[in-house]
mmCIF file of all heavy atoms in Angstrom:
data_model
loop_
_atom_site.group_PDB
_atom_site.id
_atom_site.type_symbol
_atom_site.label_atom_id
_atom_site.label_comp_id
_atom_site.label_asym_id
_atom_site.label_seq_id
_atom_site.Cartn_x
_atom_site.Cartn_y
_atom_site.Cartn_z
ATOM 1 N N ALA K 584 -151.783 133.732 -82.965
ATOM 2 C CA ALA K 584 -150.872 134.555 -83.763
ATOM 3 C C ALA K 584 -150.762 135.953 -83.166
ATOM 4 O O ALA K 584 -149.670 136.527 -83.107
ATOM 5 C CB ALA K 584 -151.347 134.618 -85.214
ATOM 6 N N ALA K 585 -151.864 136.507 -82.701
ATOM 7 C CA ALA K 585 -151.826 137.820 -82.052
ATOM 8 C C ALA K 585 -150.971 137.774 -80.788
ATOM 9 O O ALA K 585 -150.213 138.700 -80.507
ATOM 10 C CB ALA K 585 -153.245 138.287 -81.731
ATOM 11 N N GLN K 586 -151.042 136.665 -80.044
ATOM 12 C CA GLN K 586 -150.218 136.513 -78.848
ATOM 13 C C GLN K 586 -148.729 136.434 -79.204
ATOM 14 O O GLN K 586 -147.885 136.947 -78.472
ATOM 15 C CB GLN K 586 -150.626 135.260 -78.065
ATOM 16 C CG GLN K 586 -152.029 135.305 -77.494
ATOM 17 C CD GLN K 586 -152.171 136.329 -76.397
ATOM 18 O OE1 GLN K 586 -151.277 136.526 -75.588
ATOM 19 N NE2 GLN K 586 -153.306 137.008 -76.378
ATOM 20 N N ARG K 587 -148.420 135.797 -80.311
ATOM 21 C CA ARG K 587 -147.022 135.679 -80.739
ATOM 22 C C ARG K 587 -146.456 136.990 -81.280
ATOM 23 O O ARG K 587 -145.247 137.188 -81.299
ATOM 24 C CB ARG K 587 -146.880 134.596 -81.831
ATOM 25 C CG ARG K 587 -147.069 133.188 -81.344
ATOM 26 C CD ARG K 587 -146.654 132.168 -82.392
ATOM 27 N NE ARG K 587 -147.277 132.322 -83.696
ATOM 28 C CZ ARG K 587 -148.471 131.826 -84.041
ATOM 29 N NH1 ARG K 587 -149.187 131.149 -83.143
ATOM 30 N NH2 ARG K 587 -148.952 132.003 -85.267
ATOM 31 N N HIS K 588 -147.342 137.881 -81.718
ATOM 32 C CA HIS K 588 -146.917 139.129 -82.350
ATOM 33 C C HIS K 588 -147.611 140.331 -81.691
ATOM 34 O O HIS K 588 -148.379 141.055 -82.338
ATOM 35 C CB HIS K 588 -147.215 139.084 -83.862
ATOM 36 C CG HIS K 588 -146.582 137.930 -84.543
ATOM 37 N ND1 HIS K 588 -145.218 137.873 -84.778
ATOM 38 C CD2 HIS K 588 -147.103 136.769 -85.006
ATOM 39 C CE1 HIS K 588 -144.943 136.730 -85.379
ATOM 40 N NE2 HIS K 588 -146.060 136.039 -85.517
ATOM 41 N N PRO K 589 -147.353 140.550 -80.416
ATOM 42 C CA PRO K 589 -148.064 141.620 -79.699
ATOM 43 C C PRO K 589 -147.803 143.012 -80.268
ATOM 44 O O PRO K 589 -148.649 143.896 -80.112
ATOM 45 C CB PRO K 589 -147.563 141.480 -78.263
ATOM 46 C CG PRO K 589 -146.276 140.744 -78.359
ATOM 47 C CD PRO K 589 -146.408 139.849 -79.553
ATOM 48 N N ARG K 590 -146.658 143.218 -80.925
ATOM 49 C CA ARG K 590 -146.405 144.543 -81.519
ATOM 50 C C ARG K 590 -147.418 144.862 -82.619
ATOM 51 O O ARG K 590 -147.667 146.021 -82.913
ATOM 52 C CB ARG K 590 -144.992 144.631 -82.082
ATOM 53 C CG ARG K 590 -143.915 144.666 -81.011
ATOM 54 C CD ARG K 590 -142.511 144.812 -81.576
ATOM 55 N NE ARG K 590 -142.352 144.184 -82.875
ATOM 56 C CZ ARG K 590 -141.892 144.811 -83.971
ATOM 57 N NH1 ARG K 590 -141.501 146.035 -83.921
ATOM 58 N NH2 ARG K 590 -141.785 144.157 -85.111
ATOM 59 N N LEU K 591 -148.006 143.831 -83.207
ATOM 60 C CA LEU K 591 -148.996 144.016 -84.264
ATOM 61 C C LEU K 591 -150.419 144.052 -83.731
ATOM 62 O O LEU K 591 -151.350 144.348 -84.484
ATOM 63 C CB LEU K 591 -148.884 142.879 -85.295
ATOM 64 C CG LEU K 591 -147.523 142.676 -85.951
ATOM 65 C CD1 LEU K 591 -147.567 141.451 -86.863
ATOM 66 C CD2 LEU K 591 -147.114 143.923 -86.713
ATOM 67 N N ALA K 592 -150.590 143.725 -82.454
ATOM 68 C CA ALA K 592 -151.932 143.544 -81.874
ATOM 69 C C ALA K 592 -152.086 144.378 -80.610
ATOM 70 O O ALA K 592 -151.740 143.928 -79.519
ATOM 71 C CB ALA K 592 -152.151 142.067 -81.577
ATOM 72 N N PRO K 593 -152.615 145.600 -80.721
ATOM 73 C CA PRO K 593 -152.751 146.438 -79.525
ATOM 74 C C PRO K 593 -153.604 145.794 -78.431
ATOM 75 O O PRO K 593 -153.366 146.019 -77.253
ATOM 76 C CB PRO K 593 -153.398 147.726 -80.037
ATOM 77 C CG PRO K 593 -153.609 147.573 -81.485
ATOM 78 C CD PRO K 593 -153.062 146.260 -81.928
ATOM 79 N N GLN K 594 -154.570 144.949 -78.818
ATOM 80 C CA GLN K 594 -155.412 144.299 -77.812
ATOM 81 C C GLN K 594 -154.598 143.352 -76.939
ATOM 82 O O GLN K 594 -154.967 143.080 -75.796
ATOM 83 C CB GLN K 594 -156.601 143.576 -78.451
ATOM 84 C CG GLN K 594 -156.260 142.297 -79.194
ATOM 85 C CD GLN K 594 -155.805 142.509 -80.627
ATOM 86 O OE1 GLN K 594 -155.508 143.619 -81.040
ATOM 87 N NE2 GLN K 594 -155.765 141.431 -81.400
ATOM 88 N N VAL K 595 -153.487 142.855 -77.452
ATOM 89 C CA VAL K 595 -152.585 142.007 -76.670
ATOM 90 C C VAL K 595 -151.569 142.882 -75.937
ATOM 91 O O VAL K 595 -151.347 142.733 -74.736
ATOM 92 C CB VAL K 595 -151.858 140.988 -77.575
ATOM 93 C CG1 VAL K 595 -150.803 140.211 -76.793
ATOM 94 C CG2 VAL K 595 -152.856 140.047 -78.220
ATOM 95 N N ARG K 596 -150.992 143.795 -76.658
ATOM 96 C CA ARG K 596 -149.941 144.655 -76.103
ATOM 97 C C ARG K 596 -150.448 145.481 -74.913
ATOM 98 O O ARG K 596 -149.729 145.688 -73.943
ATOM 99 C CB ARG K 596 -149.425 145.573 -77.211
ATOM 100 C CG ARG K 596 -148.187 146.318 -76.882
ATOM 101 C CD ARG K 596 -147.590 147.036 -78.096
ATOM 102 N NE ARG K 596 -148.484 148.038 -78.679
ATOM 103 C CZ ARG K 596 -149.060 147.941 -79.877
ATOM 104 N NH1 ARG K 596 -148.858 146.873 -80.631
ATOM 105 N NH2 ARG K 596 -149.837 148.892 -80.334
ATOM 106 N N HIS K 597 -151.700 145.926 -74.953
ATOM 107 C CA HIS K 597 -152.240 146.784 -73.901
ATOM 108 C C HIS K 597 -153.205 146.057 -72.964
ATOM 109 O O HIS K 597 -153.907 146.700 -72.184
ATOM 110 C CB HIS K 597 -152.924 147.999 -74.514
ATOM 111 C CG HIS K 597 -151.996 148.853 -75.307
ATOM 112 N ND1 HIS K 597 -150.960 149.550 -74.736
ATOM 113 C CD2 HIS K 597 -151.926 149.090 -76.643
ATOM 114 C CE1 HIS K 597 -150.299 150.205 -75.677
ATOM 115 N NE2 HIS K 597 -150.854 149.935 -76.843
ATOM 116 N N ASN K 598 -153.231 144.748 -73.043
ATOM 117 C CA ASN K 598 -154.119 143.964 -72.180
ATOM 118 C C ASN K 598 -153.679 144.110 -70.726
ATOM 119 O O ASN K 598 -152.528 143.851 -70.388
ATOM 120 C CB ASN K 598 -154.089 142.495 -72.604
ATOM 121 C CG ASN K 598 -155.101 141.659 -71.869
ATOM 122 O OD1 ASN K 598 -155.753 142.122 -70.935
ATOM 123 N ND2 ASN K 598 -155.235 140.417 -72.263
ATOM 124 N N ARG K 599 -154.598 144.506 -69.878
ATOM 125 C CA ARG K 599 -154.295 144.698 -68.457
ATOM 126 C C ARG K 599 -154.727 143.504 -67.593
ATOM 127 O O ARG K 599 -154.472 143.476 -66.404
ATOM 128 C CB ARG K 599 -154.998 145.956 -67.927
ATOM 129 C CG ARG K 599 -154.624 147.229 -68.663
ATOM 130 C CD ARG K 599 -153.166 147.590 -68.420
ATOM 131 N NE ARG K 599 -152.837 148.890 -68.978
ATOM 132 C CZ ARG K 599 -152.196 149.075 -70.127
ATOM 133 N NH1 ARG K 599 -151.825 148.050 -70.852
ATOM 134 N NH2 ARG K 599 -151.923 150.290 -70.559
ATOM 135 N N ALA K 600 -155.379 142.535 -68.201
ATOM 136 C CA ALA K 600 -155.846 141.374 -67.449
ATOM 137 C C ALA K 600 -154.658 140.549 -66.961
ATOM 138 O O ALA K 600 -153.712 140.303 -67.704
ATOM 139 C CB ALA K 600 -156.760 140.512 -68.327
ATOM 140 N N ARG K 601 -154.712 140.153 -65.742
ATOM 141 C CA ARG K 601 -153.662 139.340 -65.130
ATOM 142 C C ARG K 601 -154.320 138.277 -64.260
ATOM 143 O O ARG K 601 -155.437 138.456 -63.788
ATOM 144 C CB ARG K 601 -152.747 140.195 -64.250
ATOM 145 C CG ARG K 601 -152.036 141.308 -64.980
ATOM 146 C CD ARG K 601 -150.937 140.732 -65.891
ATOM 147 N NE ARG K 601 -150.263 141.770 -66.635
ATOM 148 C CZ ARG K 601 -150.540 142.130 -67.879
ATOM 149 N NH1 ARG K 601 -151.482 141.523 -68.540
ATOM 150 N NH2 ARG K 601 -149.876 143.080 -68.488
ATOM 151 N N PRO K 602 -153.614 137.193 -63.986
ATOM 152 C CA PRO K 602 -154.170 136.203 -63.063
ATOM 153 C C PRO K 602 -154.428 136.850 -61.693
ATOM 154 O O PRO K 602 -153.610 137.636 -61.216
ATOM 155 C CB PRO K 602 -153.072 135.140 -62.960
ATOM 156 C CG PRO K 602 -152.237 135.329 -64.188
ATOM 157 C CD PRO K 602 -152.312 136.796 -64.516
ATOM 158 N N GLY K 603 -155.545 136.532 -61.116
ATOM 159 C CA GLY K 603 -155.893 137.098 -59.814
ATOM 160 C C GLY K 603 -155.527 136.170 -58.673
ATOM 161 O O GLY K 603 -154.963 135.094 -58.867
ATOM 162 N N GLY K 604 -155.845 136.600 -57.471
ATOM 163 C CA GLY K 604 -155.518 135.822 -56.287
ATOM 164 C C GLY K 604 -156.658 134.945 -55.804
ATOM 165 O O GLY K 604 -156.570 134.352 -54.734
ATOM 166 N N VAL K 605 -157.737 134.864 -56.573
ATOM 167 C CA VAL K 605 -158.886 134.055 -56.179
ATOM 168 C C VAL K 605 -158.742 132.678 -56.813
ATOM 169 O O VAL K 605 -158.374 132.552 -57.973
ATOM 170 C CB VAL K 605 -160.201 134.720 -56.623
ATOM 171 C CG1 VAL K 605 -161.387 133.855 -56.267
ATOM 172 C CG2 VAL K 605 -160.341 136.100 -56.008
ATOM 173 N N PHE K 606 -159.027 131.649 -56.047
ATOM 174 C CA PHE K 606 -158.875 130.285 -56.526
ATOM 175 C C PHE K 606 -159.982 129.431 -55.916
ATOM 176 O O PHE K 606 -160.681 129.870 -55.007
ATOM 177 C CB PHE K 606 -157.492 129.735 -56.128
ATOM 178 C CG PHE K 606 -157.172 129.941 -54.670
ATOM 179 C CD1 PHE K 606 -157.558 129.004 -53.720
ATOM 180 C CD2 PHE K 606 -156.529 131.097 -54.248
ATOM 181 C CE1 PHE K 606 -157.299 129.211 -52.376
ATOM 182 C CE2 PHE K 606 -156.268 131.305 -52.893
ATOM 183 C CZ PHE K 606 -156.653 130.360 -51.963
ATOM 184 N N ALA K 607 -160.147 128.219 -56.431
ATOM 185 C CA ALA K 607 -161.160 127.309 -55.903
ATOM 186 C C ALA K 607 -160.907 127.109 -54.409
ATOM 187 O O ALA K 607 -159.778 126.867 -53.989
ATOM 188 C CB ALA K 607 -161.113 125.979 -56.637
ATOM 189 N N GLY K 608 -161.943 127.267 -53.627
ATOM 190 C CA GLY K 608 -161.818 127.116 -52.186
ATOM 191 C C GLY K 608 -161.473 128.415 -51.470
ATOM 192 O O GLY K 608 -161.418 128.459 -50.244
ATOM 193 N N TYR K 609 -161.254 129.487 -52.217
ATOM 194 C CA TYR K 609 -160.917 130.786 -51.633
ATOM 195 C C TYR K 609 -162.074 131.266 -50.762
ATOM 196 O O TYR K 609 -163.227 131.205 -51.154
ATOM 197 C CB TYR K 609 -160.652 131.786 -52.755
ATOM 198 C CG TYR K 609 -160.370 133.188 -52.290
ATOM 199 C CD1 TYR K 609 -159.106 133.550 -51.859
ATOM 200 C CD2 TYR K 609 -161.372 134.143 -52.279
ATOM 201 C CE1 TYR K 609 -158.835 134.835 -51.440
ATOM 202 C CE2 TYR K 609 -161.118 135.432 -51.868
ATOM 203 C CZ TYR K 609 -159.844 135.785 -51.445
ATOM 204 O OH TYR K 609 -159.588 137.060 -51.025
ATOM 205 N N ARG K 610 -161.753 131.740 -49.577
ATOM 206 C CA ARG K 610 -162.781 132.284 -48.691
ATOM 207 C C ARG K 610 -162.779 133.802 -48.818
ATOM 208 O O ARG K 610 -161.787 134.460 -48.528
ATOM 209 C CB ARG K 610 -162.511 131.873 -47.244
ATOM 210 C CG ARG K 610 -163.577 132.340 -46.278
ATOM 211 C CD ARG K 610 -163.352 131.697 -44.904
ATOM 212 N NE ARG K 610 -164.114 132.323 -43.858
ATOM 213 C CZ ARG K 610 -165.352 131.988 -43.516
ATOM 214 N NH1 ARG K 610 -165.953 131.008 -44.164
ATOM 215 N NH2 ARG K 610 -165.976 132.604 -42.534
ATOM 216 N N ALA K 611 -163.899 134.331 -49.283
ATOM 217 C CA ALA K 611 -164.027 135.779 -49.453
ATOM 218 C C ALA K 611 -163.907 136.464 -48.101
ATOM 219 O O ALA K 611 -164.289 135.902 -47.064
ATOM 220 C CB ALA K 611 -165.364 136.114 -50.094
ATOM 221 N N PRO K 612 -163.392 137.680 -48.079
ATOM 222 C CA PRO K 612 -163.289 138.392 -46.808
ATOM 223 C C PRO K 612 -164.674 138.695 -46.244
ATOM 224 O O PRO K 612 -165.638 138.862 -46.992
ATOM 225 C CB PRO K 612 -162.557 139.690 -47.166
ATOM 226 C CG PRO K 612 -162.685 139.822 -48.636
ATOM 227 C CD PRO K 612 -162.889 138.454 -49.192
ATOM 228 N N ASP K 613 -164.772 138.733 -44.958
ATOM 229 C CA ASP K 613 -166.023 139.071 -44.296
ATOM 230 C C ASP K 613 -166.271 140.565 -44.475
ATOM 231 O O ASP K 613 -165.389 141.388 -44.221
ATOM 232 C CB ASP K 613 -165.947 138.715 -42.803
ATOM 233 C CG ASP K 613 -167.327 138.607 -42.172
ATOM 234 O OD1 ASP K 613 -168.310 138.434 -42.918
ATOM 235 O OD2 ASP K 613 -167.416 138.690 -40.934
ATOM 236 N N VAL K 614 -167.443 140.910 -44.956
ATOM 237 C CA VAL K 614 -167.778 142.319 -45.182
ATOM 238 C C VAL K 614 -169.141 142.620 -44.586
ATOM 239 O O VAL K 614 -169.998 141.740 -44.491
ATOM 240 C CB VAL K 614 -167.778 142.659 -46.695
ATOM 241 C CG1 VAL K 614 -166.380 142.540 -47.285
ATOM 242 C CG2 VAL K 614 -168.754 141.794 -47.454
ATOM 243 N N PRO K 615 -169.348 143.858 -44.174
ATOM 244 C CA PRO K 615 -170.659 144.227 -43.633
ATOM 245 C C PRO K 615 -171.706 144.263 -44.743
ATOM 246 O O PRO K 615 -171.418 144.662 -45.874
ATOM 247 C CB PRO K 615 -170.428 145.610 -43.039
ATOM 248 C CG PRO K 615 -169.210 146.137 -43.670
ATOM 249 C CD PRO K 615 -168.395 144.953 -44.108
ATOM 250 N N LEU K 616 -172.907 143.821 -44.425
ATOM 251 C CA LEU K 616 -174.027 143.810 -45.364
ATOM 252 C C LEU K 616 -175.286 144.298 -44.664
ATOM 253 O O LEU K 616 -175.392 144.240 -43.440
ATOM 254 C CB LEU K 616 -174.278 142.384 -45.880
ATOM 255 C CG LEU K 616 -173.144 141.694 -46.616
ATOM 256 C CD1 LEU K 616 -173.493 140.228 -46.850
ATOM 257 C CD2 LEU K 616 -172.878 142.390 -47.931
#
Side-chain angles (χ1 to χ4, degrees):
Q586 295 292 322
R587 290 191 306 275
H588 303 287
R590 289 182 328 126
L591 304 176
Q594 73 276 13
V595 174
R596 191 171 61 248
H597 298 294
N598 187 353
R599 302 293 187 259
R601 300 288 178 263
V605 178
F606 50 88
Y609 177 82
R610 183 171 166 88
D613 199 20
V614 294
L616 300 171

